[in-house]
Amino acid sequence: MPARDGDLADLQLLTEAAQAAGAIARRFFDGEAKVWDKGDGQGPVTEADLAVNEHLHGFLGQARPGYGWLSEESNPLGNLARLAHERCFVIDPIDGTRSFIDRQPGFAHALAVTDKGAPVAAVVHLPMLDLTYAAVRGGGATLNGKPIAATQPEGPLGATMLVARPALDPVHWPGGVPPVKREFRPSLAWRLALVGEGRFDSMLTIRDSWDWDIAGAALIATEAGARVTDRHGHPLRFNRAEARSPGVVAAGPALHAALMAGLTGDAA
């Protein structure tokens, strides 16, 4: 389906918002940000996360007051007013907070607009690396304004995969662990975008994945020609009450099929 004018306008809005978010994050990255632990195993949060979230909420909410709001740093599971909106912002102010705390540049701002649960506009911006991935439904995907495309390997032999080491434990692969070359990046959104860019052939996470980590980057990878599903092969849907999916698998269609055969034990 061709890109719609409303989706393109939302993409422009997200791009402006992401660039401003990057400027805020850089100030904290070059200085000193307070760090807290959220508790209940949720991990750390910093002043930068909260400052970026506040800016995005104000900027995007003013521009699109009729949209819902789902952000990691805005009580995402408690405030369900977003479910009443067909269109919703899905935001991770800083994806890769631990990397940010450690002064590693591989963190990202992940922004998306969803329509009835499907992403229609997306930006993943890595300010310290000067990388801006973007996509609009039906309009393809870009990196710094230039079109990108996922690789299309025929199978897993020799293919590269962005994946945490525990996810390749044979217990998860009744059909056999795929013979892939493993690498890793800290930001889940960046991992998906890198598949869209074609720098890596696939990515996989076994663990439940929050909407704000994956909604935008899933559109980027999909528009670049990858197939993106949950770990069971089902389509991803966003802005539901639980705001998470059972893992993510992204790769060109043939490799995706082979990976799903390994995960499920069914013949490809």
Side-chain angles (χ1 to χ4, degrees):
M1 122 181 9
R4 300 176 179 176
D5 290 346
D7 298 342
L8 290 168
D10 281 349
L11 177 61
Q12 181 176 351
L13 179 67
L14 293 181
T15 302
E16 294 174 8
Q19 294 292 336
I24 295 170
R26 279 194 296 269
R27 289 200 298 270
F28 283 100
F29 189 85
D30 294 334
E32 196 69 37
K34 293 180 181 177
V35 180
W36 301 271
D37 189 277
K38 295 182 183 180
D40 298 324
Q42 298 180 76
V45 64
T46 74
E47 279 186 291
D49 295 83
L50 301 182
V52 169
N53 188 68
E54 182 179 5
H55 166 75
L56 292 175
H57 195 189
F59 179 79
L60 295 173
Q62 183 176 12
R64 302 287 190 271
Y67 287 20
W69 179 258
L70 171 59
S71 167
E72 180 179 10
E73 308 305 342
S74 297
N75 189 22
L77 303 184
N79 182 1
L80 299 182
R82 58 186 169 80
L83 300 180
H85 298 268
E86 287 191 351
R87 289 220 164 196
C88 185
F89 290 112
V90 183
I91 305 293
D92 193 343
I94 294 181
D95 182 34
T97 296
R98 287 185 175 86
S99 290
F100 182 90
I101 293 169
D102 293 339
R103 296 294 192 271
Q104 298 176 9
F107 66 89
H109 308 298
L111 293 74
V113 171
T114 61
D115 185 357
K116 302 182 185 70
V120 297
V123 172
V124 173
H125 177 53
L126 287 83
M128 306 308 297
L129 299 177
D130 194 27
L131 301 174
T132 303
Y133 300 86
V136 64
R137 178 176 56 181
T142 62
L143 169 59
N144 293 349
K146 297 180 179 180
I148 55 175
T151 63
Q152 301 295 327
E154 292 299 316
L157 183 61
T160 54
M161 178 184 285
L162 291 165
V163 59
R165 192 178 303 276
L168 291 178
D169 189 300
V171 69
H172 301 301
W173 298 89
V177 178
V180 293
K181 300 176 181 177
R182 188 190 78 86
E183 294 205 36
F184 189 72
R185 295 294 185 275
S187 161
L188 185 51
W190 191 23
R191 284 177 246 165
L192 272 162
L194 283 165
V195 172
E197 184 185 350
R199 283 184 59 190
F200 297 89
D201 299 312
S202 61
M203 65 77 61
L204 178 141
T205 180
I206 294 293
R207 301 175 61 182
D208 283 0
S209 302
W210 296 108
D211 283 8
W212 47 84
D213 290 327
I214 61 174
L219 178 65
I220 291 166
T222 299
E223 286 293 329
R227 186 174 181 211
V228 185
T229 68
D230 69 21
R231 62 174 293 185
H232 306 298
H234 301 143
L236 298 174
R237 301 298 295 177
F238 303 103
N239 192 29
R240 298 176 297 175
E242 63 271 26
R244 58 184 164 184
S245 299
V248 182
V249 183
L255 177 55
H256 186 282
L259 295 175
M260 290 309 307
L263 284 168
T264 63
D266 297 330

